[in-house]
Amino acid sequence: MRQPDLTPLVTAAQQRLDQALAAWLPPADSRIYCGRGCANCCTLNVATTFAEAQLLVAHLDAGQRRRVAARVAELQELLPQTPDLKGFLRAHRNRPTPCPLLAADGVCSVYSLRPLACRALLSTRDSAWCAVDFATLHPQEREAFLSSLDPAIVAFPTHYARFPREVGAAAEDAVLARMREHFGFALSGHLCVLLLAESEHQLGSALATGREATAQCLAAAGLNHPFLVTFHD
């Protein structure tokens, strides 16, 4: 099977999301706190479609690729220590280093190509809350914070705006649907994992061959783990 060029698909999805968010006005009693250099959300697990990762990987320099590989090695070390996904995500965000694509000044080095998931994550609270591990909060403090959130505005129980999350999820679903049309299945996963799998293991070529070849490619790289990648049949 010839490997299709999914770049126009991803670019169009990103543009549609950006246009929707540019036209969106937060409710009068709400505010978006995100700004240049506030990078606490860059400690989170970024799940993206393979098509988005494939677009991005071509623009990475050697240093970025090394940092991505180092982050994936850290994730592989975490897997035996975290038997459930919730624990894995908590351990992921508590790592001492943020996203390997974050520049030294706290600015995203691939901002114009950042995944849909990143574009759609807009905070209705000060960025300090984006770094909080709520499992460590006193129950009363946690309850007070949750009680302050308006489910009509936020993607409850998070403090991130609901409308951008919904539009971003719909854009991701459209990308996955087109991938299923091309390949018979779609693939998503941790951004760094997909970047490494494409840059060092030619994952895109395996996708064009089929689901089994894709799983074998990921397994050979030690990346075929449900916390790292997801197949969509």
Side-chain angles (χ1 to χ4, degrees):
M1 179 186 297
R2 182 175 62 87
Q3 183 177 346
D5 180 10
L6 298 175
T7 298
L9 168 66
V10 174
T11 300
Q14 292 175 342
Q15 290 175 346
R16 286 195 301 270
L17 176 58
D18 290 347
Q19 291 167 359
L21 296 185
W24 171 66
L25 293 176
D29 57 348
S30 183
R31 170 186 167 188
I32 298 302
Y33 285 79
C34 304
R36 181 181 175 85
C38 67
N40 281 333
C41 65
C42 298
T43 62
L44 298 174
N45 179 87
V46 176
T48 188
T49 66
F50 172 73
E52 295 173 78
Q54 189 179 44
L55 169 63
L56 178 55
V57 74
H59 298 270
L60 300 183
D61 60 31
Q64 290 170 322
R65 290 175 185 242
R66 285 194 297 270
R67 290 192 292 275
V68 165
R71 172 51 57 87
V72 173
E74 291 178 354
L75 298 179
Q76 290 172 313
E77 292 177 0
L78 285 179
L79 292 175
Q81 308 170 31
T82 51
D84 60 77
L85 179 59
K86 187 175 182 179
F88 173 77
L89 295 177
R90 179 175 295 116
H92 176 285
R93 78 170 305 165
N94 289 333
R95 301 295 290 177
T97 54
C99 174
L101 301 180
L102 198 67
D105 59 357
V107 174
C108 177
S109 65
V110 294
Y111 188 78
S112 65
L113 297 171
R114 70 198 187 282
L116 294 166
C118 297
R119 294 168 190 264
L121 199 67
L122 299 179
S123 176
T124 65
R125 294 291 188 274
D126 185 274
S127 64
W129 283 102
C130 299
V132 171
D133 181 351
F134 283 85
T136 66
L137 290 181
H138 188 280
Q140 291 182 343
E141 186 178 8
R142 183 167 60 251
E143 180 58 33
F145 178 79
L146 293 175
S147 298
S148 73
L149 301 177
D150 183 349
I153 296 174
V154 303
F156 192 84
T158 79
H159 59 285
Y160 297 108
R162 178 171 58 84
F163 175 77
R165 296 290 297 276
E166 291 176 345
V167 177
E172 284 186 350
D173 287 344
V175 173
L176 292 171
R178 288 293 299 277
M179 289 183 68
R180 280 194 291 267
E181 291 177 8
H182 284 302
F183 304 120
F185 69 100
L187 185 71
S188 65
H190 191 289
L191 173 61
C192 290
V193 169
L194 296 180
L195 290 175
L196 180 73
E198 173 65 3
S199 63
E200 295 193 7
H201 303 282
Q202 294 74 54
L203 181 60
S205 297
L207 259 79
T209 304
R211 192 186 192 286
E212 183 177 352
T214 302
Q216 290 175 349
C217 176
L218 290 166
L223 303 175
N224 194 12
H225 190 286
F227 295 172
L228 303 181
V229 294
T230 300
F231 285 86
H232 305 266
D233 295 312

